[in-house]
Amino acid sequence: MPGLKLSPITQTEHASDVFNLTLRATDYVTLEIGHAPTHDFVDSFFTAAPPGLTTDDLLHFAVMEGPAMAGIVCIARGYEFPNDWWIGLVLLDPAFRGRGIGTATVGLIKEHATAQAVASLKLSVLEANPRAMHFWIQQGFLPHRYALATPDSDGHNRWVLTCDL
Ligand SMILES: CC(C)(COP(=O)(O)OP(=O)(O)OC[C@H]1O[C@@H](n2cnc3c(N)ncnc32)[C@H](O)[C@@H]1OP(=O)(O)O)[C@@H](O)C(=O)NCCC(=O)NCCS
């Protein structure tokens, strides 16, 4: 998609841009955490690393359509295996959904990953988000395992999906 790119972002420089994006995408944030976005949500977007990894293993991008910030992406390198990338979040502003930007974003992630010899992409989808499940299956991801909510978790059942590159 011409004009679409993934621009690296940092918490220091872009926290308020990311917060504004999450406010525009309150629908998804509320589905995931049960309430409207807060600065804590933005903080964990930038700092929450999967088990065994640190913030140095995280990549953060803005999805830019020309000058407009259409969405955000977080990736953890090396989770759950050294040659895997875990997609922590792809979140688009509702005004930019449903016209191919998500598909193009996944294409750019796959290009980046392939250039770095990544073997597979993985992610988890909330069972409560069937449109996203449909989207990821369209992008070539396959169900890998089902992760039931536990008493200590956020209450969501999730599908873990994988896509070999
Ligand atoms: C899921 C998401 C990244 C897809 O990007 P997109 O640009 O809307 O999708 P595309 O236009 O490239 O692809 C279309 C497919 O995406 C899905 N989709 C379209 N609009 C959507 C919306 N408003 N919400 C969720 N999924 C949507 C549908 O499955 C659609 O398939 P269809 O055309 O057969 O109906 C985007 O809609 C989004 O950010 N949704 C909210 C956050 C989210 O659910 N993220 C995924 C977490 S695992």
Side-chain angles (χ1 to χ4, degrees):
M1 180 174 278
L4 194 81
K5 63 177 187 176
L6 297 183
S7 297
I9 51 174
T10 64
Q11 186 166 17
T12 313
E13 286 182 78
H14 302 99
S16 67
D17 293 330
V18 170
F19 183 56
N20 288 333
L21 187 285
T22 63
L23 289 176
R24 299 198 295 279
T26 289
D27 61 339
Y28 175 77
V29 177
T30 302
L31 177 71
E32 183 180 328
I33 66 172
H35 56 79
T38 60
H39 291 285
D40 283 351
F41 184 82
V42 174
D43 191 51
S44 70
F45 168 77
F46 280 109
T47 62
L53 299 185
T54 72
T55 51
D56 289 345
D57 301 307
L58 302 180
L59 302 173
H60 302 97
F61 299 100
V63 180
M64 300 300 298
E65 190 185 45
M69 188 169 170
I72 51 176
V73 172
C74 176
I75 292 166
R77 293 177 294 184
Y79 187 74
E80 301 166 308
F81 293 98
N83 289 335
D84 289 351
W85 275 10
W86 182 273
I87 300 176
L89 185 65
V90 174
L91 177 58
L92 299 185
D93 177 334
F96 291 83
R97 294 180 198 163
R99 53 183 177 90
I101 292 179
T103 299
T105 298
V106 174
L108 292 171
I109 294 171
K110 286 180 176 175
E111 272 177 33
H112 269 285
T114 304
Q116 304 210 18
V118 170
S120 58
L121 300 174
K122 284 187 187 150
L123 55 89
S124 70
V125 185
L126 307 183
E127 188 178 49
N129 192 5
R131 292 190 74 176
M133 183 71 171
H134 178 80
F135 170 77
W136 290 112
I137 298 290
Q138 278 182 336
Q139 307 310 313
F141 284 72
L142 296 169
H144 178 62
R145 66 171 188 272
Y146 185 64
L148 267 178
T150 67
D152 299 330
S153 75
D154 60 6
H156 284 291
N157 300 326
R158 290 175 161 81
W159 281 101
V160 176
L161 307 181
T162 187
C163 176
D164 290 337
L165 296 176

